[in-house]
Amino acid sequence: MDTETNLPTTLPRIGDKAPSFKAVTTQGEIQFPEQYAGSWVILFSHPADFTPVCTSEFMTFATLMPEFDKYNCKLVGLSVDGLYSHIAWLRTIKEKIEYKGMKDVEVTFPLIEDITMEVARKYGMMQPGESSTKAVRAVFVVDPKGIVRTVLYYPLSLGRNFDEILRIVIGLQTADAFSVATPADWRPGDDVIVPTAGSCGVAKERMDSKDEMTCHDWFFCTKKLDKDTVLKAIVKK
Ligand code: BEZ
């Protein structure tokens, strides 16, 4: 329960089914996450239209959209502003803002209007200790089955690192495709961890396989997984 508004608020967790909702967006109505079945999708919130950090984030996300698309990953934004504010802000971004070499940036992914805060509350985006009128910077990475796979929350003052969000999508897809885990700061081409923690069956299978492993200790083995193999498995055909 939100103590200020007395309205229910929930916080979807990793492994949960992404809460379902219908919403109006700058690209028409959407039914989330059902409409995205078969794709990865990132649902993210920003505090307010016509604010500087959010503007830098939208320009960056829109510029990186083709990269996300390569990994079959769609984007959906949300703030508690109304549709006409969204439309005016995105038009201003396209027509007027030049920032860090980005200009003429068209945001073509849907941006949800959520003036009732219904979706923001469902996704724990309203965090009254930070702001009772604006959503925090939340990121939900949802897989093709509609399961929440990663959750990030940032405060109002801190712009997100979109390379990291892309790395999360690539890392999750690699872990799924190869039954491995990825170590700190992993990037495609770096060694991966075998087996996925806690799965004894996989452990036995991996021990028996001809894969060349390096074991740093009994609980920490890595193997090579070259970048081309990773990309061949996860890049959209
Ligand atoms: C911003 O995006 O610049 C911002 C939005 C809300 C509060 C503080 C900063």
Side-chain angles (χ1 to χ4, degrees):
M1 197 69 78
D2 182 326
T3 47
E4 288 196 5
T5 60
N6 263 353
L7 288 164
T9 179
T10 49
L11 217 69
R13 295 163 302 184
I14 293 173
D16 288 352
K17 189 112 190 82
S20 181
F21 64 84
K22 191 182 199 171
V24 171
T25 83
T26 49
Q27 305 287 326
E29 266 197 6
I30 61 165
Q31 178 67 50
F32 191 94
E34 294 78 7
Q35 185 179 324
Y36 296 91
S39 298
W40 290 74
V41 57
I42 293 174
L43 174 67
F44 70 102
S45 56
H46 70 277
D49 299 344
F50 291 101
T51 52
V53 178
C54 301
T55 299
S56 71
E57 290 190 320
F58 263 67
M59 294 181 78
T60 308
F61 227 171
T63 304
L64 282 175
M65 195 174 144
E67 267 303 296
F68 282 90
D69 186 54
K70 250 170 71 179
Y71 301 99
N72 188 29
C73 183
K74 312 261 191 279
L75 311 175
V76 178
L78 173 149
S79 81
V80 299
D81 298 293
L83 187 63
Y84 294 107
S85 165
H86 285 343
I87 291 168
W89 179 46
L90 299 187
R91 186 183 302 144
T92 304
I93 288 177
K94 173 158 172 52
E95 292 177 359
K96 296 200 179 140
I97 312 285
E98 186 168 347
Y99 174 70
K100 279 197 162 176
M102 297 178 282
K103 64 182 227 191
D104 199 21
V105 173
E106 186 151 14
V107 174
T108 56
F109 56 80
L111 174 51
I112 295 169
E113 75 153 0
D114 190 29
I115 39 182
T116 61
M117 302 185 186
E118 190 189 326
V119 180
R121 283 206 188 87
K122 259 189 185 171
Y123 275 82
M125 293 164 173
M126 301 310 297
Q127 304 199 358
E130 180 72 346
S131 169
S132 52
T133 56
K134 296 173 171 62
V136 295
R137 300 181 197 281
V139 181
F140 290 87
V141 181
V142 176
D143 75 12
K145 293 187 174 130
I147 303 297
V148 175
R149 298 291 298 274
T150 297
V151 179
L152 304 169
Y153 287 110
Y154 288 62
L156 301 193
S157 62
L158 184 64
R160 285 162 277 207
N161 181 324
F162 290 90
D163 281 341
E164 170 62 1
I165 297 172
L166 182 61
R167 193 188 76 92
I168 289 168
V169 172
I170 295 171
L172 289 169
Q173 294 188 5
T174 301
D176 287 358
F178 296 94
S179 301
V180 294
T182 51
D185 296 330
W186 178 87
R187 299 267 174 190
D190 293 346
D191 291 359
V192 292
I193 291 175
V194 285
T196 305
S199 62
C200 301
V202 176
K204 168 98 180 62
E205 196 180 296
R206 296 285 157 180
M207 293 294 191
D208 292 346
S209 84
K210 303 268 176 299
D211 291 342
E212 209 175 293
M213 286 199 298
T214 305
C215 285
H216 308 277
D217 206 328
W218 60 269
F219 61 92
F220 182 11
C221 297
T222 58
K223 71 166 184 177
K224 299 208 172 308
L225 182 57
D226 69 80
K227 187 172 176 175
D228 286 351
T229 307
V230 169
L231 298 184
K232 215 163 136 192
I234 67 172
V235 168
K236 201 167 88 177
K237 269 103 202 158

